[in-house]
Amino acid sequence: MTVLLEMKERIKLIYSKYEAFIVPVLKFLLAFITFSTLNSRMGYMTRIDDMRIMLIAALTCSFLPVGLMVLMAAVFSLMHMYALSMEVALVGLCMYLIMYLLFFRFSPKDSLVVVLTPLLFSMKIPYVVPIAVGLLCGPASIVSVGCGIAVFYLLRMVIDSAPNIRIMEEGEILEKVRFMVEGILGNKAMLVMIAAFVVTVLVVYLIRRMSVDYSWTIAMVTGAMINVVLLLIGDLLYDVNLSMGSVLLGSLLALVVAKVIEFFRFCVDYSRTEKVQFEDDEYYYYVKAVPKMTVSVPTKTVKRINSQRDRIAESEPRSRNPRQPKRDVERMASRRGDARTGAQYRNGGARSGRVAVGNVESQEELDIDVEDYEEWP
């Protein structure tokens, strides 16, 4: 557990240090995956089904708020609908406007939920959405979840109905509009999924807010079970043809993702829970304090310890040669023609530490510190 906590702290440090670069990269990847999924699933307008256009649009979304990513994805889908039929684009625009009014009124900060919900539905792992939203968001986020589900089923209906819409004549405007409206309102699978996800979000939110030990774990397990039961009931009542195997596997995957979210968001130590009671002039206060599980990231420091001889050697110039003073004195003695002084230096001058060079009339002295050098030949 300590290793996981250290890894968590390292990830938090890296994220806080490079947040200005990590967030745009993640937004770019999310936008690019969203646009490429739309183009691969629909692809009716070939002009925007281009890698360069997707890259430019994703790069633009990386520096803009997530709400503009939702708007750009809606524009992409409407352009594909318009290439299929103008009536289909009109119905899609009306549905987007209704969802925008609901979303803007109740949960304008949950743009990421609106983007991720249809994307996860297309990846066959939608059951992560209600549990994750219930753990991280509030009850108003059910509007964002419902809008994301409606967008997915709208696009799915357009894709499934494209062959029938193409064979209709151009003058059958009302027939196309009625076909689209009936397909949206009569989609029982969409209604069952919205109802199950809304109830799951509310249950998970209410349980994880309770003052009980392991509330997040209880909330995610209960939410997964309620979601499976509601989908099973909806399948039995309305025959929506849900694959219960995929529902169970998706719910297990949702629990794994929820545990990861809990580790990074709500990692506490219930064994050290403390209950505090105090009062003031007007109220009594009963406080339950649960400490977080945190560890400090170990830092490695390298300390170099040098001996006294190493410090002396490092303080001296590298190019200094211990034999150089002897050679200099001999050279000076030879220049002045006093070979006897040079012999005196060789015989014993180095022992006294002082050497006289020159003749009687002009005599120079060189002071040589013998202790600075390791040995004399």
Side-chain angles (χ1 to χ4, degrees):
M1 189 63 181
T2 305
V3 177
L4 294 177
L5 292 174
E6 291 180 0
M7 182 186 66
K8 170 188 172 182
E9 294 298 326
R10 288 193 180 94
I11 293 174
K12 290 171 64 176
L13 289 175
I14 293 173
Y15 180 80
S16 60
K17 186 177 180 179
Y18 300 102
E19 181 181 2
F21 303 98
I22 294 175
V23 173
V25 170
L26 293 178
K27 291 168 66 176
F28 171 81
L29 293 176
L30 178 60
F32 181 77
I33 293 173
T34 302
F35 299 148
S36 61
T37 303
L38 281 173
N39 288 336
S40 62
R41 294 299 181 96
M42 303 183 79
Y44 304 123
M45 181 172 284
T46 56
R47 294 181 180 178
I48 62 175
D49 191 7
D50 190 357
M51 181 63 68
R52 293 170 296 180
I53 295 178
M54 288 190 295
L55 289 175
I56 293 172
L59 186 62
T60 304
C61 292
S62 63
F63 298 100
L64 297 176
V66 184
L68 294 179
M69 187 189 303
V70 178
L71 178 61
M72 194 168 292
V75 171
F76 265 70
S77 62
L78 287 175
M79 294 176 70
H80 285 295
M81 292 180 191
Y82 180 79
L84 178 63
S85 175
M86 184 180 65
E87 294 80 9
V88 175
L90 181 62
V91 174
L93 178 61
C94 294
M95 191 170 178
Y96 283 160
L97 290 176
I98 294 172
M99 288 188 292
Y100 173 75
L101 294 175
L102 293 173
F103 167 75
F104 183 76
R105 173 65 180 83
F106 293 100
S107 55
K109 297 181 180 180
D110 294 334
S111 302
L112 191 61
V113 177
V114 180
V115 177
L116 287 177
T117 301
L119 191 62
L120 293 177
F121 264 93
S122 63
M123 295 179 180
K124 308 297 184 182
I125 49 174
Y127 308 104
V128 179
V129 175
I131 299 177
V133 172
L135 293 176
L136 300 176
C137 304
S141 300
I142 60 176
V143 178
S144 302
V145 174
C147 291
I149 296 173
V151 169
F152 169 75
Y153 280 97
L154 171 65
L155 300 179
R156 183 178 178 180
M157 190 195 64
V158 171
I159 296 171
D160 295 338
S161 304
N164 296 328
I165 294 174
R166 285 175 175 173
I167 62 176
M168 292 184 181
E169 297 180 359
E170 295 182 358
E172 299 179 354
I173 299 176
L174 296 178
E175 292 294 330
K176 293 181 181 180
V177 172
R178 188 180 68 178
F179 179 78
M180 289 294 300
V181 173
E182 290 178 353
I184 295 172
L185 297 179
N187 195 335
K188 296 179 181 179
M190 180 183 70
L191 299 178
V192 170
M193 199 67 69
I194 291 175
F197 278 27
V198 166
V199 174
T200 303
V201 170
L202 293 177
V203 169
V204 173
Y205 172 78
L206 292 175
I207 295 177
R208 66 100 172 172
R209 294 281 296 175
M210 295 175 64
S211 179
V212 295
D213 293 348
Y214 305 100
S215 59
W216 279 52
T217 303
I218 297 173
M220 63 182 71
V221 174
T222 306
M225 294 175 62
I226 289 178
N227 188 37
V228 172
V229 171
L230 291 177
L231 291 176
L232 179 60
I233 294 174
D235 188 25
L236 294 175
L237 293 178
Y238 300 102
D239 194 17
V240 294
N241 296 324
L242 290 176
S243 176
M244 296 311 300
S246 62
V247 172
L248 293 175
L249 292 177
S251 300
L252 293 177
L253 178 62
L255 290 176
V256 175
V257 175
K259 290 300 292 184
V260 174
I261 294 173
E262 180 189 11
F263 177 73
F264 282 97
R265 184 67 180 272
F266 193 76
C267 187
V268 296
D269 187 4
Y270 286 104
S271 62
R272 297 188 291 125
T273 302
E274 297 181 0
K275 294 183 179 180
V276 183
Q277 176 183 350
F278 56 93
E279 62 178 288
D280 58 11
D281 295 337
E282 298 180 356
Y283 296 96
Y284 286 97
Y285 300 92
Y286 299 91
V287 179
K288 180 181 179 180
V290 184
K292 296 180 179 180
M293 296 178 63
T294 57
V295 294
S296 59
V297 179
T299 58
K300 297 181 179 179
T301 57
V302 179
K303 186 176 181 180
R304 183 178 179 182
I305 302 175
N306 298 329
S307 62
Q308 184 177 3
R309 178 176 293 182
D310 293 337
R311 289 196 297 269
I312 295 174
E314 290 179 357
S315 62
E316 294 178 355
R318 296 294 182 183
S319 61
R320 189 172 181 178
N321 189 358
R323 302 177 182 272
Q324 191 66 28
K326 174 183 174 182
R327 296 173 183 175
D328 292 342
V329 174
E330 291 180 348
R331 189 181 299 111
M332 293 175 65
S334 62
R335 287 179 181 177
R336 295 181 179 273
D338 194 352
R340 182 178 56 187
T341 305
Q344 180 183 358
Y345 172 78
R346 288 193 298 271
N347 294 330
R351 299 174 184 175
S352 62
R354 184 179 298 274
V355 180
V357 182
N359 52 21
V360 177
E361 298 179 354
S362 61
Q363 186 175 0
E364 298 178 0
E365 294 182 357
L366 294 177
D367 293 335
I368 302 173
D369 191 0
V370 183
E371 294 179 357
D372 290 344
Y373 307 97
E374 297 180 0
E375 63 180 357
W376 291 83

